[in-house]
């Protein structure tokens, strides 16, 4: 049997309480990494940690409840990784907030809230993690953006604009950190059937089965992705198998970007 692809590695995943972040946490642990999960939802974090430990009792997984917009919390989370596990090799910036206000009606406060989480939050964790990632000698950052960073739609201008900015940030980061041995890449998920979408649908009276029929026209494959289908590319980009890849935007959207 081959060695797990992340054996001996330590990873920090923001937005790890549910959805893509939780799926990535499970796969990172399965592939041998020690994982620290950060999320603003303490209950979701605890559920994810419990589920991982039930499935993999030997997994090394810790949790920190924090808003990614809190710079001090980012520094503390990285310090916990380095103290508890001796270093940090991988950072996955997955935490995000959504806003459904049309561009014409968005307020400065709404913009500031979105930027605070989706951009400043990502910057907080990169800034906190980079010294440890550089020390790793093979550090990797994976930023989770969105397929709508490169396509268009109505009603999500604030979210999509910050997701597009994440791609520019990733490219600049790749330039700046290459001399330090740190790779930076981005994943752009398409329609993904996460707990968030399920809960939102159920709140409006829709069943999960009905929800599953609603994204047949948002990918060539004609269905939602599972969170694991997004998490596996994150694992791969974080691993040594992707050692010659940096500054890349990987579309994991079922082909939506060419439709």
């Amino acid at each position: 049997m081959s060695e797990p692809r992340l054996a001996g590695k330590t990873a920090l995943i923001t937005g790890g309480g549910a959805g893509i972040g939780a799926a990535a946490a499970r796969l990172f642990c399965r592939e041998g990494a020690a994982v620290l999960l950060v999320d603003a939802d303490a209950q979701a974090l605890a559920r994810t940690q419990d589920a991982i430990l039930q499935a993999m009792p030997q997994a090394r997984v810790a949790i920190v409840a924090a808003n990614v917009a809190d710079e001090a919390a980012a520094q503390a989370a990285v310090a916990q990784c380095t103290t508890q596990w001796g270093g940090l090799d991988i950072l996955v910036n997955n935490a995000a907030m959504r806003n459904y206000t049309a561009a014409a009606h968005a307020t400065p406060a709404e913009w500031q809230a979105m930027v605070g989480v989706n951009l400043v939050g990502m910057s907080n964790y990169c800034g906190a993690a980079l010294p440890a990632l550089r020390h790793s000698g093979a550090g990797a950052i994976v930023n989770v953006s969105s397929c709508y960073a490169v396509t268009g739609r109505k009603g999500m201008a604030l979210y999509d604009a910050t997701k597009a900015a994440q791609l520019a940030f990733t490219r600049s980061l790749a330039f700046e950190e290459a001399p330090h041995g740190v790779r930076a890449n981005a994943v752009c998920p398409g329609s993904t059937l996460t707990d968030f979408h399920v809960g939102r649908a159920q709140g409006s009276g829709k069943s999960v089965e009905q929800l599953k029929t609603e994204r047949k026209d948002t990918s060539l494959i004609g269905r939602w992705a599972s969170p694991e289908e997004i998490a596996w590319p994150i694992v791969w980009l974080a691993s040594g198998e992707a050692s010659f890849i940096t500054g890349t935007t990987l579309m994991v959207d079922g082909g939506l970007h060419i439709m």
Side-chain angles (χ1 to χ4, degrees):
M1 182 181 294
S2 61
E3 185 178 53
R5 54 166 54 90
L6 299 178
K9 300 292 186 180
T10 296
L12 191 161
I13 302 174
T14 70
I20 294 168
R26 291 191 295 272
L27 295 183
F28 271 63
C29 287
R30 187 185 303 173
E31 292 296 325
V35 181
L36 177 67
L37 304 178
V38 177
D39 200 291
D41 188 334
Q43 292 182 336
L45 277 174
R47 288 194 297 270
T48 296
Q49 183 185 43
D50 289 346
I52 290 172
L53 291 174
Q54 286 180 15
M56 294 171 280
Q58 303 305 313
R60 295 173 296 162
V61 55
I63 56 176
V64 172
N67 187 322
V68 295
D70 183 344
E71 182 183 9
Q75 296 286 344
V78 171
Q80 180 173 333
C81 282
T82 57
T83 299
Q84 185 168 351
W85 291 313
L88 180 62
D89 305 291
I90 300 162
L91 171 65
V92 178
N93 284 304
N94 174 67
M97 71 174 293
R98 293 175 173 83
N99 181 295
Y100 298 93
T101 302
H105 305 296
T107 67
E110 287 177 302
W111 274 108
Q112 288 163 4
M114 290 291 293
V115 169
V117 172
N118 293 1
L119 290 178
V120 176
M122 182 172 67
S123 176
N124 285 341
Y125 277 80
C126 286
L130 277 168
L133 294 174
R134 291 171 176 176
H135 183 72
S136 164
I141 297 172
V142 182
N143 295 323
V144 181
S145 179
S146 169
C147 61
Y148 291 105
V150 300
T151 61
R153 59 178 168 173
K154 64 180 181 180
M156 294 286 285
L158 283 68
Y159 178 85
D160 294 352
T162 57
K163 287 297 178 178
Q166 288 180 343
L167 301 184
F169 182 91
T170 302
R171 290 190 293 268
S172 293
L173 196 61
F175 268 103
E176 293 176 1
E177 293 306 315
H180 304 289
V182 179
R183 298 181 298 108
N185 293 291
V187 166
C188 287
S191 299
T192 308
L193 193 58
T194 63
D195 299 333
F196 171 83
H197 290 294
V198 170
R200 194 162 179 260
Q202 290 176 335
S204 64
K206 293 178 184 176
S207 68
V208 175
E209 290 307 313
Q210 182 181 356
L211 179 65
K212 288 180 178 180
T213 68
E214 294 184 353
R215 295 298 180 101
K216 292 185 176 179
D217 60 348
T218 59
S219 78
L220 294 177
I221 296 174
R223 60 170 176 81
W224 294 80
S226 70
E228 289 73 18
E229 287 178 300
I230 311 301
W232 274 119
I234 295 172
V235 169
W236 180 71
L237 281 173
S239 77
E241 295 174 9
S243 58
F244 199 59
I245 300 176
T246 195
T248 290
T249 296
L250 178 60
M251 306 303 298
V252 191
D253 64 351
L256 174 63
H257 67 286
I258 64 169
M259 291 176 67

